[in-house]
């Protein structure tokens, strides 16, 4: 290669890397801005993390409320019992949040709990300042009540939140603080402007800390649950999610289908073109399956060239239609590889099983799909077979042992 050609190739490579980095940055910003792009399993994981910290915060803040009572009695000039009553109401609301979360473990419930905490604290902040006559004297101990918005904002640092979630919580505190400053007549003073400036900087740092926690949690989640090559669920996470989903569906007497897919003659691709070509085929296959999936479906790599698709609330007829769409998408797939004049074409065989009664269990559903896949392979590949259709023709000796984890 001539020097000029080499330079142009380097420019192209650098440009491609920059474009990839920009796209990755945009995707990362979207994921940190809102939870709409997050997987349901990740939302469950984050909800568990949030739930424990929300409960700990409620207990901690309740204890601090009681610890502050002697300060009110000794140093604050306020009508007897009013501040104490306000604190009791705040503690009661925090304990109610704890009780609410004890029987719930969803992201929606955690959002409601965080919103309730912020609203309760701001109501206490507003009521306490009203009772105290909206104090702004720095020399008075009642000035601590005007600093509550700072504490409420910093408090959110312990939670891995999206930018939208954090902003929605902070805006409640900001609006309440502005109202209190208007009532006190201190909104347009230099001291208040300085206070707002400091609080804005703190708010930005808090959001930064929250999104950093969220980003780290997402990275750890991906390493622990996703197949590094294809980006779909790995075997352990796949079976964990599917088994839980199957149990929930079975209790409601709804159908549940499984598609066990195997790439036809995949070993021949590796032997003929190399493992790099095999990796491209696996990536291409997963991309071909994606258009046929619903949001509630669970898809992942079981191992090697085998993939599994779990279809909740899906009867046998619908499962066969999904299998046909997948096979057609795979037939149209063309894997282009440098150095090959013709693209690599692949096909897939699919075994289908559907739960038809409450007596079916997760292990038997997988085994039936495996038997159906064996029949599809024997029938010439590039086809699907339903276990119910080929049950009488399948030899029991062809059964393969599934992981103990699935039992």
């Amino acid at each position: 290669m001539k020097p000029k050609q080499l330079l142009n190739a380097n420019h192209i490579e650098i440009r491609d890397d920059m474009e990839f980095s920009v796209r990755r940055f945009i995707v990362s910003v979207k994921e940190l801005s809102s939870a709409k792009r997050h997987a349901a399993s990740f939302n469950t994981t984050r909800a568990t993390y949030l739930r424990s910290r929300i409960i700990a915060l409620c207990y901690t803040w309740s204890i601090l409320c009681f610890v502050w009572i002697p300060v009110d009695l000794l140093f604050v000039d306020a009508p007897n019992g009013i501040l104490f009553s306000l604190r009791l109401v705040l503690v009661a609301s925090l304990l109610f949040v704890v009780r609410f979360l004890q029987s719930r473990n969803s992201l929606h419930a955690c959002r409601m709990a965080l919103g309730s905490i912020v609203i309760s604290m701001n109501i206490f902040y507003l009521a306490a300042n009203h009772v105290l006559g909206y104090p702004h004297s720095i020399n008075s101990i009642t000035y601590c009540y005007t600093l509550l918005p700072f504490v409420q904002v910093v408090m959110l640092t312990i939670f891995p939140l999206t930018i939208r979630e954090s902003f929605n919580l902070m805006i409640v505190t900001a609006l309440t603080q502005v109202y209190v400053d208007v009532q006190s007549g201190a909104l347009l003073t230099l001291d208040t402007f300085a206070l707002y400036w400091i609080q804005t900087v703190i708010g930005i740092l808090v959001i930064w800390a929250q999104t950093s926690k969220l980003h780290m949690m997402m990275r750890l989640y991906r390493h622990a649950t996703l197949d590094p090559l294809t980006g779909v669920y790995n075997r352990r996470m796949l079976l964990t999610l599917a088994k839980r989903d199957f149990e929930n569906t079975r209790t409601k007497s709804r159908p549940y289908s499984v598609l066990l897919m195997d790439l036809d003659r995949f070993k021949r691709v590796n032997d003929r073109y190399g493992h790099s070509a095999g990796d491209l085929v696996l990536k291409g296959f997963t991309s071909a399956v994606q258009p046929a999936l619903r949001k509630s479906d669970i898809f992942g790599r079981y191992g090697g060239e085998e993939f599994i698709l779990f279809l909740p609330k899906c009867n046998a007829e619908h499962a066969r239609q999904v299998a046909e769409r997948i096979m057609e998408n795979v037939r149209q797939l063309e894997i282009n590889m440098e150095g090959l004049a013709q693209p690599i074409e692949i096909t897939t065989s699919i075994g289908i099983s559907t739960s038809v009664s409450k007596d079916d269990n997760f292990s038997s559903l997988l085994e039936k799909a495996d038997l159906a896949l064996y029949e599809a392979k024997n029938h010439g590949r590039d086809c699907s077979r339903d276990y119910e259709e080929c049950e009488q023709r399948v030899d029991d000796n062809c059964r393969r042992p599934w992981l103990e984890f699935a039992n």
Side-chain angles (χ1 to χ4, degrees), residues 39-56 101-102 104-111 114 158-161 214 217 221 237 241 244:
S41 56
F42 176 73
N43 287 336
T44 301
T45 301
R46 185 160 72 102
T48 303
Y49 187 92
L50 287 172
R51 179 174 175 268
S52 61
R53 278 148 185 78
I54 292 173
I55 292 175
L101 284 181
Q102 284 177 341
R104 296 169 177 85
N105 189 31
S106 66
L107 184 59
H108 178 68
C110 291
R111 286 170 173 167
L114 272 175
I158 65 175
F159 302 113
L161 302 177
L214 180 61
M217 178 178 286
Y221 170 82
M237 190 64 181
L241 293 176
R244 183 193 308 161

Side-chain angles (χ1 to χ4, degrees), residues 247-318:
E247 295 298 334
N248 292 336
T249 304
R250 187 174 63 168
T251 57
K252 299 177 182 178
S253 300
R254 293 174 177 173
Y256 199 93
S257 296
V258 176
L259 271 61
L260 178 59
M261 296 167 279
D262 186 271
L263 294 179
D264 296 328
R265 299 182 175 89
F266 179 74
K267 185 177 183 300
R268 184 180 300 178
V269 173
N270 279 333
D271 293 341
R272 185 173 181 179
Y273 304 111
H275 288 282
S276 58
D279 292 345
L280 290 176
V281 167
L282 293 174
K283 292 178 182 178
F285 174 79
T286 56
S287 65
V289 174
Q290 299 295 333
L293 303 185
R294 302 170 300 174
K295 189 174 182 179
S296 59
D297 297 339
I298 303 173
F299 173 60
R301 185 181 181 187
Y302 177 71
E305 68 272 23
E306 284 191 333
F307 294 80
I308 306 179
L309 174 59
F310 294 94
L311 302 170
K313 304 176 186 177
C314 179
N315 57 32
E317 180 60 29
H318 184 214

Side-chain angles (χ1 to χ4, degrees), residues 140-375:
S140 174
I141 195 170
T142 55
Y143 184 69
C144 295
Y145 283 92
T146 67
L147 296 178
L148 283 176
F150 277 95
V151 180
Q152 293 171 15
V153 170
V154 174
M155 168 193 76
L156 299 175
T157 309
I158 65 175
F159 302 113
L161 302 177
T162 64
I163 296 175
R164 179 177 296 181
E165 292 167 347
S166 181
F167 179 80
N168 289 339
L169 294 174
M170 288 186 182
I171 197 66
V172 175
T173 301
L175 293 176
T176 306
Q177 185 177 7
V178 169
Y179 177 81
V180 170
D181 290 337
V182 169
Q183 294 299 315
S184 65
L187 181 63
L188 301 179
T189 64
L190 291 177
D191 290 341
T192 301
F193 286 145
L195 197 66
Y196 284 176
W197 170 254
I198 295 174
Q199 194 161 342
T200 300
V201 173
I202 292 176
I204 293 174
L205 293 176
V206 168
I207 293 177
W208 189 359
Q210 291 170 334
T211 54
S212 296
K213 292 178 185 292
L214 180 61
H215 181 65
M216 181 59 67
M217 178 178 286
M218 293 172 65
R219 290 187 61 182
L220 293 174
Y221 170 82
R222 289 191 177 103
H223 283 299
T225 62
L226 301 183
D227 177 62
L229 176 63
T230 60
V232 297
Y233 288 126
N234 60 26
R235 179 169 59 188
R236 181 174 181 82
M237 190 64 181
L238 174 71
L239 295 178
T240 300
L241 293 176
K243 188 174 184 179
R244 183 193 308 161
D245 194 45
F246 173 77
E247 295 298 334
N248 292 336
T249 304
R250 187 174 63 168
T251 57
K252 299 177 182 178
S253 300
R254 293 174 177 173
Y256 199 93
S257 296
V258 176
L259 271 61
L260 178 59
M261 296 167 279
D262 186 271
L263 294 179
D264 296 328
R265 299 182 175 89
F266 179 74
K267 185 177 183 300
R268 184 180 300 178
V269 173
N270 279 333
D271 293 341
R272 185 173 181 179
Y273 304 111
H275 288 282
S276 58
D279 292 345
L280 290 176
V281 167
L282 293 174
K283 292 178 182 178
F285 174 79
T286 56
S287 65
V289 174
Q290 299 295 333
L293 303 185
R294 302 170 300 174
K295 189 174 182 179
S296 59
D297 297 339
I298 303 173
F299 173 60
R301 185 181 181 187
Y302 177 71
E305 68 272 23
E306 284 191 333
F307 294 80
I308 306 179
L309 174 59
F310 294 94
L311 302 170
K313 304 176 186 177
C314 179
N315 57 32
E317 180 60 29
H318 184 214
R320 285 191 288 269
Q321 294 174 3
V322 174
E324 287 297 327
R325 287 201 298 269
I326 291 175
M327 288 189 296
E328 183 60 29
N329 291 345
V330 174
R331 293 187 193 109
Q332 297 176 1
L333 188 64
E334 294 183 347
I335 309 297
N336 294 303
M337 187 175 180
E338 186 178 356
L340 295 181
Q342 298 293 330
I344 302 174
E345 297 180 353
I346 59 173
T347 58
T348 183
S349 300
I350 302 178
I352 306 170
S353 65
T354 303
S355 64
V356 294
S357 68
K358 288 187 176 181
D359 294 332
D360 292 327
N361 57 53
F362 187 68
S363 179
S364 65
L365 199 63
L366 293 176
E367 187 177 12
K368 290 176 181 178
D370 187 49
L371 295 173
L373 175 61
Y374 181 87
E375 184 72 7

